[in-house]
Amino acid sequence: MTRARWTSETTPLPPHALAWLSTRIGLGTPLDEVPVTVPESALSEDAFEALEAVAEISLDAGDRLGRAGGLSYLDLIKRRGCGELTIPDAVVLPSSPEEVQEVLRVCVEHDIAVVPFGGGTSVVGGVEALRGGKDAVIALDLARLNRLVSIDPVSRIAVLQAGTTAPDAENLLAEHGFTLGHVPQSFERATIGGFAATRSAGQASSGYGRFEDMVEGVRVQTPAGEWRLGSAPASAAGPDLQQLVIGSEGLFGVITEVALRVRPKPENPVYEGVVVDGWEAGTALIRDLAQRNALADVTRLSDVDETEVALALTGGRKAELLGKYLRFRGVEQPCLVIFGWEGRSRDVTMGATYGHKLVRLGRAMGESWRHGRFNGPRQRDALLDAGVCAETLETATHWSKLPALYDAVRGALKGALGDPVVMCHVSHAYETGASLYFTVLVPRDVEDPVTQWQQAKAAACEAISGIGTITHHHAVGRDHAPYLEAEIGSLGVEVLRALKSTFDPTGILNPGKLM
């Protein structure tokens, strides 16, 4: 099978992790890699020549396969030959915003669908190569738009091209003593443009804010022409049109540059772990910290099941001793909390925990989480090899509704999947509410693994609707589009359609997503 752009480092599962999985849920039949047949390109010769005249273009099967979808569980199993994979007819790699504009012009003239492609980390079908009724579809790969355009150290604003990966952005900013501080789990491959297009939220959102909080300006190429926004730190010049771009998922235009608020790079980040007794006590702690403005930059609460998995995966004598220690301290339902301080005061956070019963585990636990926080994406292939369906979903709601949302989603997943491991953590907290991030582990259905997860995801989405948002930071993409109208109303959908018609009259941009 051709190695492609989405391929990255994988981390094997240690023997004790496999043993735990086998005991807890049982292991399924390994999903072998079956070569995927890449069809001939449907791009016409005239369209190919017109695109070739304005930017680099490839019809290579491996290049096209490498931009076929994102990194959801269904994407991964489809790449192993299980289910139908939509593959773009060509990959176009522009080197400048001007070239992007020319590519869009050609695609309008030849009525070709365009899927903007950054790091390919979508887990909701956001970069699926859908044609939307067009004869052909291209993946518009922004990898070559990877420069630091400018930096204003006085105003603390950096302008980065949209194809810059998060690690490269941090390295470029570090040369000037700054950081963006945006570290989602997709950090290793995701791009600046992708963060903006999906309203991403990093693990340190309590300190640095969500990605939309960092955006000071955008440059967008649309079929109707170039659009630039952002001329001041705040404005009362009508509605904030910049927010039409943030979260637009490539439907209105292709983001080519983003002006971002940056901060001095922290010298000595500190991460610690504590344990509270029970999910209710844990959410009460996080709510109290949020409402007293005392959250750490990273504040993450795991429920009992996720904590059990975390402790089990530490393995050996260490896990056994830790379990005994927690029982000795009277903790019956351990829930792990990770705190990380990169700019905020540790003393403020820990001082505000007074009155809450917790067991401090020290910096070793915090640093262990910090250094292993990207293991989840790296272990997906290993879980497939073990015959395990491993997938995630997320939502958010107000504090008063959080218990109902937690119970509803867990119940829906268990009802659809039998006896899965359903883990959950609060990944982002606010004064008025919090997000819930669920991870599911269950033996793969040998006969129809695609339907197995589709039914579970549908059950979870139905449970979420009416209690919380259909997505807190994964975006809408294709998977959540059926549930959008219930959240924003039919009038909201009509507003989005009107905007689409203005920016993209012929409907070439990212068909089948969001609406």
Side-chain angles (χ1 to χ4, degrees):
M1 191 183 225
T2 305
R3 283 195 172 271
R5 181 165 152 76
W6 47 262
T7 304
S8 73
E9 178 185 351
T10 60
T11 299
L13 289 171
H16 65 264
L18 284 170
W20 181 87
L21 278 170
S22 179
T23 301
R24 177 61 181 82
I25 61 171
L27 301 180
T29 303
L31 186 59
D32 296 328
E33 293 199 24
V34 177
V36 175
T37 299
V38 179
E40 290 294 320
S41 173
L43 196 67
S44 71
E45 185 175 346
D46 287 346
F48 175 84
E49 291 176 353
L51 286 167
E52 188 179 38
V54 299
E56 182 172 336
I57 182 171
S58 173
L59 301 181
D60 178 78
D63 290 339
R64 292 164 56 204
L65 181 59
R67 282 77 170 180
L71 288 176
S72 71
Y73 169 71
L74 294 184
D75 288 325
L76 295 182
I77 64 174
K78 287 176 182 179
R79 289 199 185 97
R80 294 190 178 207
C82 187
E84 184 179 352
L85 186 66
T86 56
I87 300 173
D89 294 295
V91 177
V92 179
L93 295 107
S95 298
S96 68
E98 292 77 13
E99 285 192 5
V100 172
Q101 191 67 54
E102 283 298 294
V103 169
L104 295 183
R105 178 187 61 77
V106 171
C107 289
V108 168
E109 289 178 0
H110 292 267
D111 202 30
I112 301 166
V114 179
V115 178
F117 195 95
T121 61
S122 173
V123 293
V124 292
V127 291
E128 201 168 339
L130 303 179
R131 285 181 169 79
K134 311 299 184 185
D135 291 333
V137 56
I138 66 165
L140 185 62
D141 194 320
L142 302 175
R144 294 182 177 176
L145 274 69
N146 60 359
R147 295 191 304 111
L148 173 62
V149 177
S150 65
I151 188 160
D152 177 352
V154 176
S155 305
R156 293 185 177 177
I157 297 174
V159 178
L160 287 156
Q161 288 187 322
T164 310
T165 65
D168 286 346
E170 286 298 325
N171 290 335
L172 289 167
L173 294 173
E175 294 177 5
H176 300 272
F178 290 105
T179 182
L180 187 58
H182 190 72
V183 185
Q185 199 170 51
S186 61
F187 175 83
E188 294 179 306
R189 281 182 290 196
T191 62
I192 295 300
F195 290 151
T198 59
R199 303 184 79 90
S200 175
Q203 293 166 345
S205 63
S206 297
Y208 294 98
R210 291 168 55 93
F211 198 78
E212 66 260 32
D213 301 324
M214 305 174 184
V215 176
E216 292 287 327
V218 290
R219 181 179 181 182
V220 189
Q221 316 307 132
T222 84
E226 181 176 273
W227 197 24
R228 291 177 183 253
L229 291 165
S231 59
S235 172
D240 187 357
L241 297 181
Q242 191 166 271
Q243 292 302 318
L244 298 181
V245 177
I246 310 304
S248 61
E249 302 187 33
L251 265 72
F252 305 152
V254 181
I255 298 169
T256 53
E257 292 179 4
V258 187
L260 294 159
R261 182 199 68 206
V262 294
R263 292 181 177 174
K265 189 171 180 63
E267 294 183 1
N268 297 300
V270 174
Y271 282 73
E272 293 184 9
V274 305
V275 166
V276 295
D277 192 4
W279 177 250
E280 184 176 350
T283 55
L285 168 65
I286 305 304
R287 176 172 58 85
D288 192 22
L289 293 176
Q291 293 178 344
R292 295 171 65 180
N293 194 29
L295 291 167
D297 296 300
V298 173
T299 304
R300 175 184 172 118
L301 164 70
S302 294
D303 71 356
V304 172
D305 292 280
E306 188 168 278
T307 301
E308 177 192 352
V309 173
L311 297 181
L313 295 184
T314 60
R317 182 66 173 164
K318 182 178 179 181
E320 182 182 345
L321 290 174
L322 181 55
K324 288 182 177 179
Y325 174 67
L326 292 175
R327 288 191 293 273
F328 173 75
R329 294 292 302 271
V331 177
E332 297 180 0
Q333 294 184 306
C335 289
L336 178 65
V337 181
I338 297 295
F339 291 131
W341 297 274
E342 299 195 356
R344 291 192 169 196
S345 169
R346 176 187 179 279
D347 291 342
V348 168
T349 302
M350 299 311 293
T353 65
Y354 181 77
H356 294 272
K357 179 183 177 182
L358 51 85
V359 178
R360 300 187 183 189
L361 301 181
R363 296 189 181 185
M365 180 62 77
E367 288 299 321
S368 176
W369 175 87
R370 180 188 179 196
H371 291 294
R373 59 183 167 176
F374 303 130
N375 282 346
R378 294 174 180 172
Q379 291 174 338
R380 301 288 294 280
D381 284 332
L383 287 165
L384 288 179
D385 292 339
V388 174
C389 165
E391 188 54 298
T392 64
L393 60 94
E394 42 74 52
T395 178
T397 193
H398 298 120
W399 288 114
S400 59
K401 299 178 182 179
L402 204 70
L405 182 61
Y406 176 80
D407 290 341
V409 176
R410 282 176 55 85
L413 291 169
K414 287 180 175 291
L417 294 171
D419 187 29
V421 172
V422 179
M423 300 172 276
C424 181
H425 64 261
V426 169
S427 55
H428 309 274
Y430 309 92
E431 183 177 357
T432 57
S435 68
L436 295 177
Y437 191 104
F438 294 88
T439 302
V440 182
L441 299 174
V442 68
R444 179 180 64 88
D445 185 298
V446 177
E447 299 298 325
D448 192 356
V450 172
T451 299
Q452 177 191 26
W453 177 248
Q454 285 177 334
Q455 290 179 344
K457 180 65 182 285
C461 289
E462 292 293 339
I464 289 169
S465 186
I467 306 177
T469 177
I470 196 63
T471 175
H472 173 263
H473 60 268
H474 280 172
V476 176
R478 186 186 190 186
D479 296 356
H480 295 146
Y483 307 94
L484 183 63
E485 185 171 345
E487 183 160 332
I488 68 173
S490 58
L491 185 59
V493 172
E494 288 304 313
V495 170
L496 293 179
R497 286 179 178 153
L499 292 168
K500 175 74 168 175
S501 178
T502 298
F503 292 116
D504 181 23
T506 62
I508 64 168
L509 287 172
N510 217 8
K513 320 300 166 33
L514 190 62
M515 295 180 291

